[in-house]
Amino acid sequence: MRTKAFAALGALALAAPAQAQPDPVSPARLRADVEKLVSFGTRHTLSSQDDPARGIGAARRWAEANLRETSKACGDCLAIVLPETMITGDRIKVPTRLVNVVAIQRGTERPNEVVIVQGHIDSRASDVMDATSDAPGANDDGSGTALVLEAARILSKHKYPTTIVYAVLSGEEQGLFGGQLLADYAKQQGWTVKAVLNNDIVGNTRGSDGLVEDKVVRVFSEGPRADSDDATRNAARRFGGENDSPSRSLSRYASSLAKPELRVRQVWRTDRMGRGGDHVPFLGMGYPAIRFTVGVENYDHQHQDLRTESGTIYGDTIDFMDFAYLAKVTRLNAAMLDKLARAPMPPAPKVEAAVQTFTTLSWDTVAGASSYRIWRRRTDAPAWEVRPQVVRAGQPTEVTLKGVRGDDWLFGVSSVAADGTESPVASAVPGGAFRPLR
C-alpha cells in the first residue's frame, strides 16, 4: 500500500512511548551568546591568540568557559577537550595554532556511538586574509556557535545511551581546517560516527533581495559518497543508490522531524553552489554529515567589511538576525540529537532481487535494537512511502518479500530502541551503510 511520504513513519512515531523532551530553547540566551561573540571584534583565525578581550583566542576561551559552566550544572557530565594542530595553507601563509573547543557527553550504554553537532567560531571581513579589521560574524557563524552552546545546555540535563559531542570549530573560513581537525580526532578516538549536524549561517530570514523565508531551513546532503572507490561506484551503476548515501538518509530523517513552524527544504547537493562547510571533511572520511543553513542567505551581511554604500548597509552584524528563527533551528537540531542519541545505529542491509519475482533483505543485528523496520519506495519517490514491516529482535534478520520485484523498488532498514526511538533508514544500496567505506 502506498501512502504519502513518511506518513507511516510519522504515525509510528506518534504511537511510540512518551520520552523526556528537551527543555525549551531560549531566544534570549541565543542573542546573549551572539552579542558576546560579536564583542570580540574579530574572530579571524589569524587574529590574536593572547589578547584577553579581542580576537580568536579570547573568543575560544569564552566558549570553553561557557561549556565548562554547562558541565558544572549537570554534575560535570561533559568532558571538555581542546584538540589542536599547527596549520598552513593558501589562506594561512605562516604556521598558525588551530584549536577546537569540544564537549563530550558520554553515553551510558554505547559510548563509542557518537552524534556531533557543530558550528564554527571564526569570522572574516571582505578580504579573507584581513585579520585586524572588525568582523562581527554574528550570523556567520555566531549563530551556529550559539546553537551548539544552547543545545549543550538543554541536552546535558538528560542521559543518553550513546554519546553527544558539542563542537565549536576554528579555521573554517581559511579552509575548513576545524572540521578536518575534528574528523581526524573522531578517527583517532575510534568513534563510530552516527551523524554530524553542521550548523553554519542559521540565524537570518531576509535575503539580500528582500525575500523572506522564516519557516524554512535548508539541509544539504551529498549524493554519491565522497569516500567511494571504483568498486562502489561500479556497483552503484548496476544496482542504484545515487540518491541514498547515509548523508541523504540523514537529510530525510531531519525532514521527518520538522514541524509546520519550520519545514526542512532538502537540497540534494553537498553544499551551496561553489561553496563548502565543516561537514565536508567528515564526508571525505566516510562519516554521515549534513549542513543546516537558512532558507535564504543575505550576501550583504556575510564576508563583508562594515560599511554603507549607496544606501546599502554591509557587514555581518546582529541587527540583521532573527532570533525567533534561530530558536526554531536550534529546536530542530536538539530534537534530532535527542532521537539520534537514543536510537541504535542504523543497520547495514543487503538486498538480493536480480532476475527473480521476489526480494530478499538481510542485515546483521544491531546493539540496542529491540526491533527493525523494513521500508521501501519506488525508485523515483523522494521518501520512504510503503508502511514498514516489523521484525522483532530475536527473529531472523532476513526477510523475503514475495511478489516484490526489486527492479522497481529501493529498500531500507531502520533499527528501533526499546523506547520506540527509531534510527534513520539505511538504504540497501552500494555504500548505503552508516560507516566509512575504507
Side-chain angles (χ1 to χ4, degrees):
M1 180 180 76
R2 298 185 69 173
T3 66
K4 292 183 179 179
F6 270 109
L9 179 58
L12 287 166
L14 290 174
Q19 300 173 351
Q21 296 299 308
D23 294 339
V25 170
S26 169
R29 279 197 304 256
L30 292 167
R31 174 182 279 276
D33 285 347
V34 174
E35 287 176 342
K36 183 62 179 179
L37 288 163
V38 168
S39 75
F40 294 108
T42 179
R43 306 188 304 277
H44 193 282
T45 300
L46 304 181
S47 63
S48 174
Q49 303 253 357
D50 303 318
D51 190 302
R54 181 180 177 88
I56 187 66
R60 192 180 65 234
R61 289 188 292 274
W62 171 80
E64 178 187 349
N66 190 300
L67 287 168
R68 290 193 184 281
E69 183 178 346
T70 295
S71 182
K72 183 178 179 181
C74 63
D76 296 324
C77 71
L78 304 179
I80 311 299
V81 296
L82 305 173
E84 70 172 83
T85 188
M86 296 297 292
I87 55 173
T88 57
D90 292 341
R91 295 180 172 184
I92 301 179
K93 299 302 184 182
V94 297
T96 299
R97 180 174 177 244
L98 182 85
V99 183
N100 288 337
V101 181
V102 179
I104 304 170
Q105 182 178 346
R106 300 196 186 279
T108 58
E109 298 174 16
R110 303 183 303 281
N112 204 50
E113 288 180 25
V114 174
V115 57
I116 299 169
V117 61
Q118 62 185 30
H120 73 86
I121 197 170
D122 58 300
S123 64
R124 59 165 287 189
S126 295
D127 179 358
V128 72
M129 302 302 292
D130 181 356
T132 58
S133 297
D134 281 350
N139 195 23
D140 185 13
D141 184 33
S143 62
T145 299
L147 181 153
V148 169
L149 299 177
E150 182 73 355
R153 292 187 193 104
I154 292 167
L155 298 176
S156 61
K157 298 176 181 178
H158 305 274
K159 294 186 182 298
Y160 294 95
T162 64
T163 293
I164 303 176
V165 172
Y166 311 93
V168 175
L169 308 180
S170 300
E172 193 269 353
E173 302 290 6
Q174 306 308 114
L176 312 183
F177 287 101
Q180 187 64 62
L181 176 59
L182 184 58
D184 290 339
Y185 183 84
K187 184 175 182 178
Q188 292 163 6
Q189 301 304 307
W191 288 345
T192 299
V193 179
K194 190 183 304 182
V196 179
L197 311 185
N198 186 46
N199 287 269
D200 194 349
I201 309 178
V202 287
N204 76 276
T205 53
R206 182 179 295 274
S208 45
D209 59 356
L211 177 65
V212 174
E213 291 270 26
D214 60 352
K215 294 184 178 178
V216 173
V217 64
R218 290 181 293 168
V219 172
F220 289 82
S221 62
E222 71 173 3
R225 293 179 58 144
D227 67 332
S228 286
D229 53 17
D230 288 342
T232 303
R233 284 189 288 269
N234 290 335
R237 291 178 67 187
R238 298 176 63 205
F239 296 101
E242 303 88 346
N243 197 30
D244 281 83
S245 69
S247 300
R248 190 60 47 82
S249 296
L250 272 181
S251 174
R252 293 187 176 98
Y253 192 71
S255 182
S256 76
L257 299 177
K259 296 183 178 181
E261 58 266 26
L262 187 69
R263 304 185 305 277
V264 167
R265 178 186 299 147
Q266 298 185 69
V267 184
W268 286 348
R269 52 169 47 107
T270 302
D271 208 314
R272 302 147 305 157
M273 297 180 69
R275 304 173 75 183
D278 276 321
H279 59 303
V280 173
F282 288 91
L283 296 172
M285 295 177 67
Y287 298 131
I290 55 178
R291 176 191 177 127
F292 290 82
T293 203
V294 292
V296 57
E297 291 184 71
N298 193 316
Y299 307 115
D300 297 338
H301 305 304
Q302 56 180 252
H303 299 182
Q304 295 284 350
D305 288 341
L306 296 171
R307 68 194 191 280
T308 300
E309 291 181 358
S310 302
T312 299
I313 300 173
Y314 293 90
D316 187 2
T317 64
I318 199 169
D319 304 325
F320 299 97
M321 291 183 63
D322 183 335
F323 286 95
Y325 174 83
L326 177 55
K328 290 190 286 188
V329 181
T330 304
R331 289 185 198 106
L332 176 58
N333 270 262
M336 192 168 179
L337 291 164
D338 177 78
K339 289 189 177 297
L340 287 168
R342 295 180 189 278
M345 283 292 295
K350 299 178 180 178
V351 62
E352 295 182 11
V355 199
Q356 57 193 36
T357 60
F358 58 92
T359 295
T360 299
L361 277 165
S362 61
W363 63 95
D364 293 332
T365 58
V366 174
S370 65
S371 64
Y372 307 91
R373 290 174 180 156
I374 299 170
W375 294 86
R376 59 186 166 110
R377 70 180 200 273
R378 296 285 183 182
T379 60
D380 61 347
W384 303 105
E385 57 182 346
V386 176
R387 183 174 294 276
Q389 178 177 337
V390 177
V391 176
R392 303 295 178 188
Q395 294 179 329
T397 54
E398 180 175 295
V399 171
T400 296
L401 306 175
K402 296 180 179 179
V404 177
R405 291 164 168 79
D407 289 342
D408 298 339
W409 297 91
L410 288 165
F411 304 89
V413 182
S414 61
S415 56
V416 184
D419 68 357
T421 307
E422 184 171 9
S423 77
V425 179
S427 296
V429 299
F434 278 55
R435 61 191 180 205
L437 294 176
R438 57 181 185 275

